[in-house]
């Protein structure tokens, strides 16, 4: 990997993070939206502490998967075709643009997961057994979801109904991530080994990273 | 003055579909009822071929998508799209028929069986594929984007399958809802094979018609786009005499 590739990717990531700092879309819109969802679920299911403790982790991951997609869509709806053309004309490596975008999405998703995770522990009285594994699981899921969201956002970039299409594409494809994430926590709760699930999260991230880098150039060519 | 030649469309697929449908229906009713499940077992002759063809359809979509990315020929895109449409149809049919059978046999519409869950996920993934195709009129962009999703969708199937199987492996298998081991008599096996062959004929016939339709659709999109494209000088209006009317 050449330094140029890395510096290009970092430039794109910095741009996306800076854009988020200015707009505050994730921090002030998506994050509160996810928090509201976590508040609504007990009202709909049950406010019994035992029930909430049992379903809490699952609900947290469902909210992360469904609302986290909005973080990937955010960039797609913000970029116009002219902006994408301009980036292409600068001669930047499409794979570096993809990597940078995915990196920014990853950082934003990690913040999103962490804040909602703390809120879930508070609201649902979550069992904290095996808490030393939580950061690794959160990071791996954020990597997988960021890559998946970035690929999907790239695929639907210039079409109609972009904001609705990305979640439709990402949600069913995020099933392995959802299963691995929830079962990791279930394994920790039951005191079982979670290495299979950690490995699965890593494999998913690897497959998506390869797919994203390989598809970056053909996707850029479509405008 | 000459009249425009009407678009030639093959008629045989319609006959093939009708014949295949009738043969499947007749074979399903000629086969003896199952000793345990009775008449309900006839669902098998539609459910199994539909599920089989759903997987074949998505496999063809993947191969055609990869071929498009390699050759950049819209013919492959039309094949991929047609096969995905048929795949979604057969997957939907598999799910609905499976649910009817499950309700009658196990007492519930849905069980979280690994294969069932995988089929439902595939249904939505390819629904997304079809929705993506409807999101743009740019034929090249549509083909390329759909091709990438068509390949990615199949690449992720082993991941989904493996995760779902592992997930179900953690839980106790249903005791009351567990299906009995299937031991089929020869007439039933023959009927099932006939149904699979007939469904395959239907698939080929539907592919021919849908690929034809895809080509016509492309022509319509192109003619609409060309009618919208401004011609040189269209922004210039003809000079008119000034003064109050």
């Amino acid at each position: 990997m050449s330094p140029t590739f890395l510096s290009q990717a970092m430039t794109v990531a910095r741009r996306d993070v800076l854009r988020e700092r200015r707009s505050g879309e994730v921090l002030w819109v998506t994050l509160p939206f996810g928090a509201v969802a976590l508040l609504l679920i007990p009202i709909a299911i049950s406010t019994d502490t035992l029930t909430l403790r049992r379903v809490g982790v699952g609900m947290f991951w469902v909210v992360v998967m469904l609302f986290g997609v909005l973080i990937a869509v955010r960039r797609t709806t913000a970029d116009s075709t002219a902006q994408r053309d301009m980036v292409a004309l600068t001669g930047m490596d499409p794979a570096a643009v993809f990597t940078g975008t995915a990196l920014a999405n990853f950082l934003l998703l990690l913040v999103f997961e962490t804040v909602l995770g703390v809120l879930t522990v508070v609201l649902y009285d979550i069992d904290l057994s095996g808490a030393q594994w939580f950061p690794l699981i959160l990071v791996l899921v954020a990597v997988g979801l960021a890559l998946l969201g970035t690929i999907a956002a790239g695929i639907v970039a210039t079409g109609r109904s972009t904001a609705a299409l990305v979640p439709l594409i990402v949600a069913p494809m995020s099933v392995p991530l959802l299963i691995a994430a929830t079962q990791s926590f279930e394994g920790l709760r039951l005191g079982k080994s979670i290495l299979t699930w950690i490995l699965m999260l890593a494999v998913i991230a690897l497959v998506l990273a390869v797919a994203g880098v390989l598809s970056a150039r053909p996707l850029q060519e479509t405008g | 003055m000459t009249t425009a030649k009407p678009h030639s469309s093959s008629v045989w697929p319609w006959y093939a579909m009708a014949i295949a449908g009738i043969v499947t229906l007749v074979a399903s009713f000629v086969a003896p009822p199952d000793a345990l499940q009775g008449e309900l077992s006839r669902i098998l002759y539609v459910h199994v071929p539909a599920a089989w063809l759903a997987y074949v359809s998505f496999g063809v979509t993947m191969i055609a998508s990869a071929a498009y990315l390699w050759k950049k020929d819209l013919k492959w895109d039309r094949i991929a799209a047609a096969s995905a449409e048929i795949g979604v149809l057969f997957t939907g049919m598999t799910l609905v028929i499976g649910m009817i059978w499950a309700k009658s046999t196990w007492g519930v519409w849905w069980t979280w069986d690994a294969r069932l869950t995988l089929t439902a996920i595939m249904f939505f993934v390819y629904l997304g594929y079809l929705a993506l195709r409807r999101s743009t009129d740019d034929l090249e962009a549509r083909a390329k984007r759909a091709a990438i999703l068509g390949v990615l969708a199949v690449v992720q199937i082993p991941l989904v399958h493996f995760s779902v199987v592992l997930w179900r492996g953690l839980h106790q298998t249903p005791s009351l809802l567990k299906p009995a081991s299937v031991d089929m008599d020869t007439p039933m096996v023959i009927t099932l094979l006939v149904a699979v062959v007939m469904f395959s004929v239907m698939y080929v016939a539907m592919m021919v018609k849908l690929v034809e339709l895809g080509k016509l659709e492309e022509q319509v999109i192109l003619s609409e786009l060309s009618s919208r494209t401004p011609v040189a000088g269209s922004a210039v209006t003809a000079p008119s005499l000034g003064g109050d009317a």
Side-chain angles (χ1 to χ4, degrees):
Chain A
M1 195 184 289
S2 65
T4 321
F5 180 94
L6 262 182
S7 63
Q8 286 178 359
M10 292 308 290
T11 304
V12 173
R14 260 199 305 274
R15 177 202 67 174
D16 281 9
V17 173
L18 188 66
R19 184 188 277 168
E20 166 55 29
R21 215 174 72 183
R22 285 176 183 160
S23 70
E25 204 178 321
V26 174
L27 192 66
W28 300 113
V29 181
T30 316
L31 194 56
F33 196 18
V36 170
L38 286 174
L39 269 174
L40 289 179
I41 292 163
I43 297 169
I45 299 175
S46 161
T47 47
D48 171 49
T49 310
L50 282 177
T51 310
L52 290 181
R53 198 178 293 155
R54 186 73 194 86
V55 301
V57 172
M59 292 303 150
F60 163 72
W61 285 118
V62 169
V63 169
V64 165
M65 297 293 160
L66 295 181
F67 291 73
V69 175
L70 299 176
I71 292 171
V73 180
R74 161 199 59 89
R75 174 245 168 189
T76 314
T77 46
D79 279 2
S80 64
T81 309
Q83 278 172 301
R84 272 188 289 272
D85 288 347
M86 186 64 82
V87 172
L89 283 173
T90 60
M92 285 182 93
D93 184 347
V97 177
F98 167 79
T99 309
T101 311
L103 183 62
N105 283 341
F106 159 72
L107 292 172
L108 296 173
L109 270 166
L110 197 59
V111 172
F112 181 72
E113 280 181 347
T114 308
V115 176
L116 286 190
V118 172
L119 192 64
T120 309
V121 170
V122 173
L123 290 177
Y124 292 71
D125 193 28
I126 300 298
D127 178 9
L128 293 175
S129 330
Q132 71 275 16
W133 288 94
F134 289 5
L136 179 64
I137 299 168
L138 289 178
V139 165
L140 285 173
V141 174
V143 170
L145 197 57
L147 286 166
L148 188 57
T150 311
I151 295 172
I155 288 175
V156 302
T158 51
R160 293 183 291 264
S161 330
T162 303
L165 251 178
V166 177
L168 177 61
I169 290 172
V170 172
M173 284 195 169
S174 65
V175 166
L177 280 173
L178 179 68
I179 291 176
T182 50
Q183 293 310 310
S184 298
F185 276 75
E186 185 73 355
L188 290 175
R189 192 178 68 83
L190 300 170
K192 290 182 178 174
S193 167
I194 60 163
L195 281 177
T196 312
W197 299 113
I198 297 289
L199 192 66
M200 170 157 281
L201 287 171
V203 169
I204 293 167
L206 189 68
V207 169
L208 290 172
V210 171
V213 167
L214 288 179
S215 62
R217 190 170 292 280
L219 281 177
Q220 193 192 57
E221 285 167 4
T222 62
Chain B
M1 193 172 139
T2 56
T3 52
K5 190 183 171 191
H7 174 78
S8 63
S9 170
S10 26
V11 182
W12 71 264
W14 295 116
Y15 291 122
M17 277 188 264
I19 292 166
I22 291 165
V23 170
T24 309
L25 208 63
V26 170
S28 306
F29 283 99
V30 165
D34 183 69
L36 289 173
Q37 297 178 32
E39 302 296 337
L40 190 68
S41 65
R42 297 187 199 285
I43 278 183
L44 186 81
Y45 306 123
V46 178
H47 179 68
V48 174
W52 156 248
L53 273 172
Y55 280 88
V56 169
S57 306
F58 296 145
V60 170
T61 297
M62 196 276 272
I63 293 166
S65 297
Y68 174 78
L69 288 173
W70 185 32
K71 297 278 186 189
K72 304 282 186 297
D73 184 343
L74 279 175
K75 172 184 76 180
W76 292 110
D77 176 58
R78 287 193 285 270
I79 292 173
S83 198
E85 270 186 54
I86 300 170
V88 167
L89 173 74
F90 281 132
T91 312
M93 195 191 271
T94 306
L95 289 171
V96 171
I97 293 170
M99 283 195 285
I100 294 168
W101 186 82
K103 180 68 178 168
S104 313
T105 311
W106 300 336
V108 286
W109 292 105
W110 188 265
T111 59
W112 291 95
D113 162 67
R115 213 180 322 170
L116 199 59
T117 312
L118 175 68
T119 310
I121 292 166
M122 271 171 49
F123 178 74
F124 287 106
V125 166
Y126 284 93
L127 219 52
Y129 172 91
L130 294 180
L132 173 69
R133 295 190 63 85
R134 296 171 65 89
S135 71
T136 179
D137 290 335
D138 182 338
L139 296 179
E140 296 288 337
R142 180 179 81 172
K144 201 171 274 183
R145 288 167 190 277
I148 291 169
L149 185 59
V151 173
L152 190 66
V154 170
V155 168
Q156 62 95 45
I157 283 179
L159 287 175
V160 177
H161 179 73
F162 190 60
S163 63
V164 171
V165 167
L166 268 178
W167 166 55
R168 296 312 298 157
L170 271 185
H171 294 75
Q172 188 196 346
T173 51
S175 311
L176 290 171
L177 306 176
K178 199 158 67 178
S181 61
V182 181
D183 189 14
M184 291 176 80
D185 284 339
T186 314
M188 293 174 84
V189 174
I190 292 170
T191 310
L192 189 58
L193 286 175
V194 168
V196 168
V197 172
M198 287 303 113
F199 263 68
S200 304
V201 171
M202 267 192 251
Y203 170 77
V204 174
M206 286 165 94
M207 277 293 287
V208 170
K209 292 312 291 182
L210 282 173
V211 169
E212 266 180 24
L213 191 67
K215 204 168 183 178
L216 288 172
E217 201 180 46
E218 279 170 19
Q219 285 168 9
V220 170
I221 290 172
L222 286 175
S223 69
E224 275 181 4
L225 284 178
S226 62
S227 68
R228 270 188 251 152
T229 310
V231 292
S234 62
V236 182
T237 49
S240 57
L241 290 171
D244 298 328

